[in-house]
Amino acid sequence: MVSGSPSSRRAPPWVRAGHTVTFGSRAPGRLAEFVDSLGDRARAANWHGAVSGADVVMLVVPHEGVDALVEEVGHLLADRAVIDATNPMTVSAGGRVASALGPGATAGSRTAERLPGVAVVRAFSHVVEELLETRAFSPMPVAMACAGDDARAKAEVADLIGDTGFQPVDLGSLAESAPLDPGGVLFAGLFTEADVRHRVDLVRRAGEAVTAVA
């Protein structure tokens, strides 16, 4: 995991599931207390150290920091799945949450353009961060949607979603991942698999944009 936040709630469920999680940071020493609280399977390192030793990398930096991250460690990301959990968020003229990328662009596709040849999977972006920990391993089958162009990487990420107690739901390609972006029909919501498929199907059948409009 390459994280811009020492309080990220995306990691504890993986640690609880038996995975080793490394938080990448420009200042890993600042994460010492947080990492210690998670036990022996959590550690901190600089960006290079976190990425080079990882089987799967999750991007949790603020979206405006993605370019700097790609410039520094993008060359190390080949041959592994990269989960894009960043959110380019803004508020529309009408006061609604929306994607800062504008109509027709998805966060996952934009990240993939920055990382040619890397298997980018969009996931862990549409559930509010606080719920990622509190709803992990919940008796209620809470869905976590994902999208990507590489079938192997997407299957690997689906397994990781399942390891946290969420139910993976495949939405298709990165071009079809707008429901997971700010303003999308799934963004900041809590759904079952049936809820996810119903909401996305309604929008796709109607031929409407899946991102918020003013």
Side-chain angles (χ1 to χ4, degrees), residues 85-147:
T86 66
N87 279 316
M89 189 154 32
T90 190
V91 177
S92 73
R96 301 180 65 187
V97 172
S99 171
L101 300 181
T106 69
S109 293
R110 185 64 59 86
T111 299
E113 290 173 4
R114 292 164 168 162
L115 293 169
V118 174
V120 174
V121 179
R122 184 78 167 139
F124 291 92
S125 63
H126 72 95
V127 175
V128 177
E129 187 171 89
E130 288 76 9
L131 297 177
L132 290 173
E133 185 173 5
T134 61
R135 285 293 180 175
F137 309 106
S138 169
M140 173 184 172
V142 178
M144 176 70 68
C146 61

Side-chain angles (χ1 to χ4, degrees), residues 2-5 24-26 47 51 57-74 77 82 84-89 100-101 107 110-111 114-115:
V2 179
S3 175
S5 169
S25 171
R26 289 189 183 278
W47 283 358
V51 168
V57 173
M58 174 184 275
L59 306 182
V60 197
V61 296
H63 192 266
E64 57 270 21
V66 172
D67 283 340
L69 175 64
V70 167
E71 183 175 347
E72 188 163 334
V73 299
L77 296 176
V82 173
D84 178 15
T86 66
N87 279 316
M89 189 154 32
L101 300 181
R110 185 64 59 86
T111 299
R114 292 164 168 162
L115 293 169

Side-chain angles (χ1 to χ4, degrees), residues 26-39:
R26 289 189 183 278
R30 296 172 57 185
L31 305 182
E33 183 177 352
F34 171 66
V35 167
D36 287 346
S37 73
L38 297 178

